[in-house]
Amino acid sequence: DAEGGGAGGLAGRRGGSAPPSQLAMEACLTDRNSALSTPGHDFSFALKLYEDAHSKASKPSLKDSGSSKAGGSGAKKRLYSGSAKGGKSGKPRGGLPIIVVPSTASALVSLYNAKSFLGEGKFVSGSDLAAQGAGKESKLILTRRLGQSFKEKGAEQTQDYQVVDNPTRLKDEDWGRVVAVLCLGQAWQFKGWKWDTPVSLFANCKALGVYLKWDYEKPPDAVTRWNVKVLDISKNRRHLDATAAHNFWQFLDEHTKLNNPQYYRV
């Protein structure tokens, strides 16, 4: 073993086998294992170099991420990890992950403003949009840009979610795709659902529960007994909207990784 050190390594480097009498006189001063554990020497940089090289090799190139006619629009690629990954399209075999939002426009996040807040980090009142005559999308597909900021440009990776506000229409198998439920803080919201109380819902469904409120409000006492996260949205400081939206996705990523890993973002 020329690379393993020791007597055999010495003989190998000399280009031939040493006679037994010579081997008996040789002493192994160090080998690759003892060299790596030498006090005062830190070889962690080698691991970092390997991880960097492996990361670059695993990233899709612009050419491979959809520049052909059948592949879509250039650099975008929708990614899912685990068993939900569904081939070239990146769409999970079982369908898109689902986010359930309240059906009323007075909710802080509804179908009226889910796309702008969750997808772009910009909060616009759903009530105001409804008053202005804005229509509510009957089928909303939310495209989330993966990254540290809503403003990142260039070759990006995205992940799609289906946003619904009438979960009574979901089939039993669809509930396995529900990754988040945005709560009003009122138990009547869950009437007619597969699990019709918040306690039973979040005890049996793998979805993340999120109660959204203005930053100056206190959550209702009932909500504190539910298994949900509390997310604050600033009433007047719109520059904090992106932070609030980012916190939502961070909550979702942490929860999904543990409870629904097939939809965990890459």
Side-chain angles (χ1 to χ4, degrees), residues 28-61:
C28 178
L29 300 178
T30 185
D31 58 19
R32 61 187 175 192
N33 295 319
S34 60
L36 290 173
S37 59
T38 302
H41 290 76
D42 183 7
F43 294 95
S44 61
F45 70 92
L47 178 60
K48 185 177 185 305
L49 290 174
Y50 168 79
E51 291 175 343
D52 290 344
H54 181 73
S55 176
K56 291 179 180 179
S58 63
K59 288 183 178 180
S61 66

Side-chain angles (χ1 to χ4, degrees), residues 69-109:
K69 293 182 180 180
S73 57
K76 288 188 176 181
K77 185 175 183 180
R78 292 171 175 81
L79 297 179
Y80 295 84
S81 63
S83 60
K85 189 173 181 180
K88 295 181 179 180
S89 67
K91 181 178 178 180
R93 296 188 182 95
L96 294 175
I98 296 172
I99 297 175
V100 178
V101 299
S103 58
T104 174
S106 61
L108 288 184
V109 174

Side-chain angles (χ1 to χ4, degrees), residues 8 10-18:
L10 292 174
R13 285 189 292 272
R14 289 167 180 165
S17 300

